[in-house]
Amino acid sequence: MKASGSEALRAAYPFASRMHGVQSSVIRDLLKFAQRPGIISLAGGLPSPFTFDVEGIQQATDEVLAHQPARALQYGLTDGQPALKQELARLTSSRGAAVTEDSLVVTTGSQQGIDLIARLLIDPGDVVVVERPAYLAALQTFALAQASLRTIDSDASGACVEQIDAVLDAAQAAGHSVKLIYVVANFANPSGATLTRERRLHLLQAAVARRVFVLEDDPYGELRSFGASVPPLIALASEVPGAADWCGYLSTLSKIVAPGFRLGWLALPPAVRDQAVICKQGMDLHSSTFAQEVAARYLATGRLEARLPSIRAAYRERNEALAAALDRHLGSRIEYNRPEGGMFLWARLNDPVDASEVLQHAIEEGMIFVPGSAFYADAPDHSTLRLSFATPAADELDAAVQRLVRALDRSLRRGG
Amino acid sequence: MKASGSEALRAAYPFASRMHGVQSSVIRDLLKFAQRPGIISLAGGLPSPFTFDVEGIQQATDEVLAHQPARALQYGLTDGQPALKQELARLTSSRGAAVTEDSLVVTTGSQQGIDLIARLLIDPGDVVVVERPAYLAALQTFALAQASLRTIDSDASGACVEQIDAVLDAAQAAGHSVKLIYVVANFANPSGATLTRERRLHLLQAAVARRVFVLEDDPYGELRSFGASVPPLIALASEVPGAADWCGYLSTLSKIVAPGFRLGWLALPPAVRDQAVICKQGMDLHSSTFAQEVAARYLATGRLEARLPSIRAAYRERNEALAAALDRHLGSRIEYNRPEGGMFLWARLNDPVDASEVLQHAIEEGMIFVPGSAFYADAPDHSTLRLSFATPAADELDAAVQRLVRALDRSLRRGG
């Protein structure tokens, strides 16, 4: 198959209007630099390979193929394999949210969970409220849904939910239908912030009062390094009359078992869950039964619970190492809030530079990060940057920050 | 999490307008009957478990986890794992279409391939041309895309492509933008028909002349029971100037390796492929790398090619057994075209009955099939039915047809 003149043709193809506003992720595009020899990447959100329990996954696969090969290799149910849903209900309940298997939909990673909710709820022009800054891949998905984005600020305590009412009022006054509030409540990507219990309750109250669905995306909740955990929104919903009907929970095995399974899950109120299953039928029939059955078997062994303390300890060590390196090498030239867990530290440069320009020098110095401007649905702050401490070891994090300092100095010499 | 009064709330949730016209698949809903003890199912399109090379898949998994665990368990590239794309390019080329790895996008089953193309091209109200009857799950996906469907008839030689011009003229005269022609060219689901070479060329000419993209969905091409294969549209495109820019090819590992991997692939012209990758980022980032690496390793062993002859022979035996049973037990009470391969036989009852009503009796008699009306985008023919010979053994197919006769007789006694 040969096709000619792709550039000329791009305009000629009758692409749908949703494709006009969607661009490739700058993070995924940055990953090609991450593979260069000698580069230390603080850009990606890739879990460190030491978290992969290869032996346990091998054993689980052996057992599945020995005892249930046809179940793992055949078509499956759209909402997910019963064995996996049982484990995911248990896992979700262990986080304080007592969900039933009937409320779950297994998704092809949490990305599909976001896309699924967007397709369920959003007509072009409908309003989605996100934090500023917000998870980049969610912004992409909402762009694909042709949503009209509104933002609320985020600080060290997470989304400033007291801004919600004003944002919703303004959107509704402008004739928009407000459909969804999307939040990452634990160690948010990119801000690293954790939403306080008070703010979670406030958010639920607003959701019920305004009849707007809230989706909590919780990929990192198990990776708490410091402090006490705060219950998920669907757990706190029992304290706010009516709230259980207006919130959903999304999580993933990517950060605690392996991204390669590409398995996430949604816990939803019944009517939303039923529609989600119908929508997912048309999207991919179901997620990989092979991956689901292996993951189910793995989770049933209890090996995850046994490993989580050491995974948490490793991320905590890196979290501390990155903060120490920033303090040591940059001092007052940088401001940041110390994340209580997860993989990301969000920082603001006090030097008069644009982080995108610093990145160009940083690549030459041998490190990469993601300029913070990529994470803003509106009014980007060009002095911000997202530093991931998930993948490099502690000494590499220190070396990376030293390289960042050199890149910063070069940017300043070039005139900011 | 408790939610109250789901029925009352269903109307209250502000679902997107795309959800109003989408229903759960009757086939997936029928599957619950397939699991009843004693039922012989001619309803599903499930490959027979004997086609699963459990030993080969176990070996491939062992090798992947022993040698490349981090690659199989980590995040991957949106367009697919390079090792799998290499194998899929080879497989596609062996079907007569010399594609490059650069033209491929790995999808979460062919269902996601259909959804991906729909999202790339279709704004609400845009026209998609399908066969009548057409693949049910594709109709669902086009409904989700809010496409306006137009149909062309299908006969024993596949889609009646000479109707295309009139259909496109009428749609354009009505002010619609015609975006896509979707066709299953080999042993179509549900019609079993294979599109002739002449019709394939005619279709490509129409696509170029009208600047409408043609997607060929080819899940069954390797399962030819009789006769000589016809090249895929993207192979024949070299004979029609400009056609390479206006057609794409979709296939899947579900019918030849295992549905449980949930892996399909698209071969696309460059500009369409680039947009498809951007769209897929927002949909699920990528398909399971674990499944992809295992499938790649499996395909690289050559075991598939060694097994295909016996898989084809088994389906041929069932194809013949079903036809013989229909001839033996129903004779002139049924009409059908003998499929040259694949999994489905499409039939029309000459008795004055509705196949949906016959199904109710058939369930009681201990067999199920899919009433043909489910496969029509317009003007359903209620005397049609789809019989799958993929799963039952030859003697079960004979028993199922005897039960179908009893169900038919009961329907007639009840007054048709």
Side-chain angles (χ1 to χ4, degrees):
Chain A
M1 180 172 65
K2 277 188 196 167
S4 54
S6 72
E7 273 307 318
L9 275 168
R10 197 180 307 265
Y13 283 110
F15 290 120
S17 51
R18 72 176 61 81
M19 295 307 298
H20 299 162
V22 184
Q23 292 180 329
S24 183
S25 157
V26 296
I27 297 179
R28 292 191 78 78
D29 296 344
L30 259 177
L31 289 183
K32 65 177 183 288
F33 293 110
Q35 285 154 4
R36 279 194 194 170
I39 286 266
I40 305 174
S41 174
L42 276 59
L46 306 188
S48 181
F50 83 82
T51 63
F52 303 155
D53 182 0
V54 178
E55 184 188 322
I57 291 167
Q58 174 76 65
Q59 279 178 18
T61 309
D62 291 348
E63 288 172 28
V64 163
L65 288 177
H67 301 124
Q68 302 283 357
R71 195 165 73 184
L73 298 173
Q74 190 54 278
Y75 285 106
L77 298 170
T78 299
D79 55 335
Q81 296 298 96
L84 181 60
K85 287 172 57 186
Q86 188 180 333
E87 293 301 322
L88 296 177
R90 189 177 58 78
L91 190 57
T92 312
S93 299
S94 76
R95 298 174 186 176
V99 299
T100 64
E101 293 164 40
D102 284 350
S103 70
L104 303 184
V105 183
V106 174
T107 58
T108 308
S110 52
Q111 188 69 31
Q112 189 187 48
I114 301 170
D115 189 40
L116 184 46
I117 294 296
R119 291 179 85 177
L120 274 190
L121 293 176
I122 301 168
D123 282 314
D126 285 350
V127 167
V128 175
V129 180
V130 298
E131 301 162 76
R132 59 188 302 275
Y135 176 46
L136 178 58
L139 296 181
Q140 275 188 297
T141 297
F142 297 139
L144 209 51
Q146 298 173 278
S148 180
L149 293 177
R150 298 291 186 278
T151 61
I152 54 176
D153 292 325
S154 171
D155 61 23
S157 303
C160 301
V161 295
E162 64 277 11
Q163 298 176 4
I164 282 271
D165 280 320
V167 167
L168 298 187
D169 282 343
Q172 284 167 340
H176 289 287
S177 183
V178 182
K179 292 291 188 75
L180 181 65
I181 303 170
Y182 170 82
V183 290
V184 183
N186 293 319
F187 335 126
N189 179 355
S191 75
T194 296
L195 197 65
T196 60
R197 182 187 180 95
E198 292 65 35
R199 284 187 171 181
R200 292 179 195 216
L201 289 167
H202 185 120
L203 185 53
L204 289 170
Q205 286 152 0
V208 176
R210 312 297 289 247
R211 302 177 72 80
V212 175
F213 198 77
V214 179
L215 179 65
E216 176 184 357
D217 185 2
D218 185 27
Y220 314 110
E222 299 277 5
L223 304 180
R224 176 168 284 278
S225 299
F226 313 104
S229 64
V230 188
L233 289 169
I234 56 167
L236 294 172
S238 61
E239 300 180 25
V240 179
D245 291 327
W246 292 100
C247 64
Y249 179 78
L250 173 62
S251 192
T252 174
L253 296 181
S254 293
K255 306 303 195 277
I256 52 175
V257 181
F261 285 132
R262 216 71 212 95
L263 292 173
W265 71 99
L266 283 160
L268 297 171
V272 180
R273 188 265 185 195
D274 291 349
Q275 293 291 300
V277 174
I278 291 173
C279 191
K280 184 172 159 72
Q281 273 189 16
M283 290 165 74
D284 66 3
L285 290 185
H286 59 78
S287 300
S288 168
T289 44
F290 180 59
Q292 287 185 68
E293 289 290 341
V294 172
R297 182 69 210 133
Y298 177 75
L299 291 173
T301 62
R303 289 178 69 110
L304 174 65
E305 283 77 4
R307 289 171 59 86
L308 273 175
S310 67
I311 294 174
R312 288 189 193 108
Y315 282 124
R316 183 173 61 237
E317 185 192 348
R318 286 153 195 229
N319 185 333
E320 290 175 326
L322 176 59
L326 292 172
D327 294 347
R328 187 181 311 126
H329 302 297
L330 278 162
S332 63
R333 295 174 71 184
I334 198 163
E335 284 172 31
Y336 65 91
N337 295 309
R338 183 72 168 277
E340 290 178 16
M343 300 182 161
F344 302 109
L345 185 147
W346 178 251
R348 182 174 285 104
L349 296 166
N350 284 328
D351 289 330
V353 289
D354 182 320
S356 298
E357 191 184 322
V358 176
L359 174 64
Q360 298 311 313
H361 296 295
I363 292 168
E364 289 169 29
E365 293 290 342
M367 73 83 71
I368 55 174
F369 61 87
V370 184
S373 53
F375 299 95
Y376 287 86
D378 54 21
D381 179 343
H382 293 282
S383 66
T384 55
L385 61 173
R386 189 192 77 174
L387 302 172
S388 164
F389 50 85
T391 321
D395 59 332
E396 291 177 307
L397 287 166
D398 192 88
V401 171
Q402 293 187 50
R403 294 175 191 185
L404 174 61
V405 174
R406 290 200 292 273
L408 194 50
D409 290 341
R410 285 172 59 178
S411 285
L412 285 169
R413 281 199 299 276
R414 291 273 189 105
Chain B
M1 183 171 68
K2 277 188 197 167
S4 55
S6 72
E7 274 308 317
L9 274 166
R10 198 180 307 266
Y13 283 111
F15 290 120
S17 50
R18 72 175 61 81
M19 295 307 298
H20 299 163
V22 183
Q23 292 180 329
S24 183
S25 157
V26 296
I27 298 180
R28 292 190 78 76
D29 295 343
L30 261 177
L31 289 183
K32 64 177 183 288
F33 294 109
Q35 287 156 3
R36 280 195 193 169
I39 286 266
I40 305 175
S41 174
L42 276 58
L46 306 188
S48 181
F50 83 82
T51 64
F52 303 156
D53 182 0
V54 178
E55 183 188 323
I57 290 166
Q58 174 76 64
Q59 280 179 17
T61 309
D62 290 347
E63 289 173 27
V64 162
L65 288 176
H67 302 123
Q68 302 282 357
R71 195 164 72 184
L73 297 174
Q74 190 54 278
Y75 285 107
L77 299 170
T78 299
D79 56 335
Q81 296 297 96
L84 180 61
K85 287 172 58 187
Q86 189 180 332
E87 293 302 321
L88 297 177
R90 188 177 60 76
L91 189 57
T92 313
S93 299
S94 76
R95 298 174 186 177
V99 299
T100 63
E101 293 163 42
D102 284 350
S103 69
L104 303 185
V105 183
V106 174
T107 58
T108 307
S110 53
Q111 188 69 31
Q112 189 187 48
I114 301 169
D115 189 41
L116 184 46
I117 294 296
R119 291 179 87 176
L120 274 190
L121 293 176
I122 300 167
D123 282 313
D126 285 351
V127 167
V128 175
V129 180
V130 297
E131 302 162 74
R132 59 188 302 276
Y135 176 47
L136 178 59
L139 296 181
Q140 275 187 300
T141 297
F142 297 138
L144 208 51
Q146 297 172 278
S148 179
L149 292 178
R150 298 291 186 279
T151 60
I152 54 176
D153 292 325
S154 171
D155 61 23
S157 303
C160 301
V161 296
E162 64 277 10
Q163 298 176 4
I164 282 271
D165 280 320
V167 168
L168 298 187
D169 282 343
Q172 284 168 338
H176 290 288
S177 184
V178 182
K179 291 293 187 71
L180 180 65
I181 303 169
Y182 170 82
V183 62
V184 183
N186 293 319
F187 334 126
N189 179 354
S191 76
T194 296
L195 196 66
T196 61
R197 183 188 180 97
E198 293 65 35
R199 284 186 171 181
R200 291 180 195 217
L201 289 167
H202 185 119
L203 184 53
L204 289 170
Q205 285 153 0
V208 176
R210 312 295 291 247
R211 302 177 73 78
V212 175
F213 198 77
V214 179
L215 179 65
E216 176 185 357
D217 186 2
D218 185 27
Y220 314 108
E222 300 277 4
L223 304 180
R224 177 169 281 280
S225 299
F226 313 104
S229 64
V230 188
L233 290 169
I234 56 168
L236 294 171
S238 61
E239 300 179 25
V240 178
D245 291 327
W246 291 100
C247 64
Y249 178 77
L250 173 62
S251 192
T252 173
L253 296 182
S254 293
K255 306 303 193 279
I256 52 175
V257 181
F261 285 133
R262 216 69 210 96
L263 292 173
W265 70 99
L266 283 160
L268 297 170
V272 181
R273 188 266 184 194
D274 291 349
Q275 293 291 302
V277 173
I278 291 172
C279 191
K280 185 173 158 71
Q281 273 187 17
M283 290 164 73
D284 65 3
L285 290 185
H286 59 78
S287 301
S288 167
T289 43
F290 180 58
Q292 286 186 67
E293 290 290 342
V294 171
R297 182 68 212 135
Y298 178 74
L299 292 173
T301 61
R303 288 176 71 109
L304 174 63
E305 284 77 3
R307 289 171 59 86
L308 273 174
S310 67
I311 294 175
R312 287 188 193 109
Y315 283 125
R316 184 174 59 237
E317 184 194 347
R318 287 152 193 230
N319 186 331
E320 289 176 327
L322 176 59
L326 292 173
D327 294 346
R328 186 181 312 126
H329 302 297
L330 279 162
S332 63
R333 295 175 70 182
I334 198 163
E335 283 172 32
Y336 64 91
N337 294 310
R338 183 72 168 277
E340 292 179 14
M343 300 181 160
F344 302 109
L345 186 147
W346 178 251
R348 182 173 286 104
L349 296 166
N350 285 327
D351 290 328
V353 289
D354 183 319
S356 299
E357 190 183 323
V358 177
L359 174 64
Q360 299 311 314
H361 296 295
I363 292 168
E364 289 169 29
E365 292 291 342
M367 72 84 70
I368 54 173
F369 61 86
V370 184
S373 54
F375 300 96
Y376 287 86
D378 54 22
D381 180 342
H382 293 283
S383 65
T384 56
L385 61 171
R386 189 191 76 173
L387 301 172
S388 165
F389 51 83
T391 320
D395 60 332
E396 291 178 306
L397 287 166
D398 192 87
V401 172
Q402 293 186 50
R403 294 175 189 185
L404 174 61
V405 174
R406 289 199 291 273
L408 194 50
D409 290 341
R410 285 172 59 176
S411 285
L412 284 170
R413 282 200 297 276
R414 291 271 188 107

